[in-house]
Amino acid sequence: VPTALGGLSFRFGGAAAPVFFAHGTQANVQVPWELAGQSQTTVTASMDGQTSGSQSITLAPYAPGIFSTSADGKGQGTIVDVQYRLVDSANPAAPGDTVLIFCTGLGPVTHQPATGAAAPAGPLAETTSQPTVLIGGSEANVTFSGLAPSFVGLYQVNVQTPQAAAKGSAVPVTITIGGVRSNTVTIAVR
């Protein structure tokens, strides 16, 4: 992933940040892996050679967030079945089905790729802490937690839908890791 897009770039302390998206008043960037273990840094933005003043930001080892189809972190989660079909009311999960939850902020991983580089497909980059996933109030069996292979900075948590999970078209899903709980999104369970 490039560290500049359309003339826009960011620096976290001394590290250049990969820029995934930039349009209007929004930019999506990867916080550089080099900042692991730090609790605070500064960020500056540069656009066409003009650099902003630095802003101090707080860093945390864990800041889980589940992606949603609406891109606001609410409602239908970006959760797919093993055939990569969205798990929604048209394709609900059954108890015991494996679903893949796409998220961010799950912290350190084994086999860490370089900042801006895709996660390896083998060996996998697994989280060093195991998350807890609740689906419809029941704990799901986590079968994988780590970086999504071939993607940059995207985490994936694979779980089995619990037998005791609530049923419905908008069943709540959360992830907790390192004592920090994510936003709540939904999936459909039959």
Side-chain angles (χ1 to χ4, degrees):
V1 174
T3 56
L5 192 58
L8 178 65
S9 64
F10 292 87
R11 293 194 75 75
F12 285 75
V19 182
F20 296 100
F21 173 84
H23 181 74
T25 60
Q26 178 179 333
N28 298 351
V29 302
Q30 179 187 22
V31 176
W33 288 109
E34 292 81 2
L35 300 177
Q38 296 183 32
S39 61
Q40 195 165 11
T41 192
T42 58
V43 64
T44 56
S46 295
M47 180 69 179
D48 296 328
Q50 300 241 357
T51 301
S52 70
S54 66
Q55 297 291 316
S56 187
I57 61 169
T58 301
L59 301 171
Y62 303 102
I66 304 173
F67 293 112
S68 66
T69 59
S70 60
D72 65 359
K74 300 175 188 169
Q76 175 64 55
T78 305
I79 303 171
V80 299
D81 63 19
V82 294
Q83 296 174 334
Y84 295 95
R85 297 175 302 177
L86 190 65
V87 179
D88 61 6
S89 58
N91 181 41
D97 284 355
T98 295
V99 296
L100 290 62
I101 304 168
F102 292 103
C103 51
T104 189
L106 300 187
V109 295
T110 61
H111 311 291
Q112 177 186 300
T115 295
L124 296 171
E126 298 184 55
T127 58
T128 58
S129 293
Q130 181 81 354
T132 300
V133 177
L134 295 180
I135 298 178
S138 296
E139 188 170 338
N141 177 39
V142 175
T143 58
F144 171 76
S145 173
L147 295 175
S150 303
F151 288 89
V152 176
L154 177 65
Y155 288 86
Q156 171 182 325
V157 179
N158 299 355
V159 300
Q160 291 178 307
T161 307
Q163 296 293 328
K167 311 294 187 260
S169 61
V171 175
V173 178
T174 60
I175 295 174
T176 301
I177 190 167
V180 182
R181 186 175 159 199
S182 72
N183 56 312
T184 301
V185 296
T186 62
I187 65 168
V189 179
R190 65 172 186 252

